[in-house]
Amino acid sequence: MKGGTQLDYLRQLNAFENWLEYNELGAGPQLLWYKLMVIANRSGWQSELSIANTRLQAMTKTSEKTLINNRNQLIQNGLQKKKKRGRTKAGVYIITD
């Protein structure tokens, strides 16, 4: 792991934990956020990540409906952004600070 990448990861984790001290967020959206950070870290912190719902469902052990609900909670709280690319293409997640 490169020094900058490690710092990005730790900075994101610390910021999220600090945010959770003052804001309420269920376990499902929290797990999804952590899994998205794992993917972002493995990608070298690309600003946009194309991830299929099926991959995230497998990582979080959730149904598509639950995944979408969890994702929407992250978006509503400003913790995640997503670009739609049509019904047949994976969505693009945008890592927010």
Side-chain angles (χ1 to χ4, degrees):
M1 194 185 293
K2 293 181 214 165
T5 302
Q6 186 176 16
L7 292 176
D8 288 340
Y9 198 36
L10 290 174
R11 186 176 49 79
Q12 289 283 6
L13 293 176
N14 286 329
F16 184 60
E17 289 298 327
N18 288 338
W19 185 90
L20 287 173
E21 286 184 30
Y22 301 99
N23 298 277
E24 198 169 314
L25 190 65
Q30 287 185 44
L31 176 61
L32 177 57
W33 186 91
Y34 279 106
K35 294 301 182 180
L36 289 168
M37 290 303 107
V38 167
I39 294 168
N41 188 48
R42 288 178 181 166
S43 77
W45 292 99
Q46 295 177 23
S47 60
E48 296 186 358
L49 305 167
S50 177
I51 311 164
N53 280 357
T54 52
R55 180 173 178 203
L56 289 173
Q57 285 173 247
M59 291 177 78
T60 58
K61 310 292 189 264
T62 58
S63 68
E64 185 174 30
K65 182 178 178 181
T66 300
L67 172 70
I68 291 169
N69 181 48
N70 291 341
R71 180 180 65 214
N72 287 341
Q73 288 183 52
L74 292 178
I75 291 169
Q76 290 167 3
N77 282 288
L79 297 168
Q80 192 63 57
K81 294 180 183 176
K82 183 177 182 288
K83 287 187 203 175
K84 293 181 182 178
R85 296 183 358 176
R87 282 191 66 76
T88 59
K89 291 187 178 180
V92 173
Y93 289 80
I94 301 166
I95 302 303
T96 59
D97 276 334

